[in-house]
Amino acid sequence: MAESTSQIYTPLNLQELFAQWGRQPDSRLYSCGTKIVKFQRGRRFVLPQKIISLEKIEELKRISRTERYLELGSMVKLNKILSLGRIVPELLRKFLELCETEAVRNLETLCGAIFAGASGHDLTGSTLSTPPESGFRAVRGAMCALGASYELRTASTSRWISASRYSNDLKNEFQNPDEILVRVRIPLEKWDWILCRKFRAFDRQGREEGYAAFLARVQNDTLSEVRIVFSGEDLLRDSYCEHMITGKKLPLSKEETKQFLERWKTFFNGVPGSPQFLTSRCLRFLYEAAVNFTE
């Protein structure tokens, strides 16, 4: 029996991409394919019959910077971002360094990490019951903590949406299967204090792996802004907890810190299916961060 072959299309620009996609709507878009390499266990890789590769679209590889923003094309490799050095926000650099091996980062693109093999955007197949990848958790957490935005485009429309709103879209209300990610815009805001951690998984399913970020801005001995994000199987952020210490004079009293940690404990207890071990690690991380601002 003859083996089935895949048809691979390589458009050179977005116009060609959408034209080809319109002619072959059942085609799968290919950005980097790291997940298919990781999770297929057969002797041969199984690929869709029709593939549209984004590799040769130069517009998706552009990098630009203004005084306020860093803009990255969706096909920029994760290691390419790291090679840009200090123009990349510190939190994103640290999360990328922690998330994958150098070999995987040489292959994985922003598009691949942000969509994490979602159906229609990478060659992973939506039937694979695998946990979110490390690169997805790290990039999602960093983008939401930094207030990044995504440019999503169809053949006829273009729109921007915040990374936080897009990542928390559990009902897919803001997602369109006919869109592709074109650019990521990251604000170049200065944070006075940054603490980040990777929680490594000790279970086979990887449910305990996660990334934690604590960002603080201090002005006149006052915590003027705080952002705290946990990115694991779910993206967790509680604005009420952040506001509890925002605007407080430094150092915080021990009572203020205690109330802050108790509120977070209550928050984690209300998250359905949250592993107890991961919750304990998150609380230890918050304590480690809070003691830096406590009398």
Side-chain angles (χ1 to χ4, degrees), residues 63-71 86-87 188:
I63 299 171
S64 62
R65 183 194 179 203
T66 66
E67 290 185 2
R68 297 181 57 194
Y69 299 106
L70 174 66
E71 291 191 349
R86 293 190 175 274
I87 69 169
L188 296 175

Side-chain angles (χ1 to χ4, degrees), residues 205-268:
Q205 291 75 30
R207 295 184 64 230
E208 294 172 352
E209 181 178 302
Y211 293 81
F214 190 114
L215 290 76
R217 189 174 286 122
V218 179
Q219 187 175 9
N220 297 327
D221 295 326
T222 300
L223 279 173
S224 59
E225 188 172 2
V226 174
R227 288 186 196 169
I228 304 167
V229 171
F230 297 94
S231 180
E233 276 203 309
D234 298 309
L235 181 71
L236 302 178
R237 184 181 179 187
D238 186 5
S239 58
Y240 181 85
C241 291
E242 295 173 351
H243 292 156
M244 283 186 69
I245 57 175
T246 301
K248 297 286 187 180
K249 278 286 187 180
L250 296 178
L252 301 175
S253 68
K254 292 181 180 179
E255 183 61 27
E256 287 172 330
T257 299
K258 180 181 178 181
Q259 292 175 358
F260 172 73
L261 295 174
E262 285 295 327
R263 168 64 195 185
W264 270 108
K265 185 176 181 180
T266 302
F267 172 78
F268 285 124

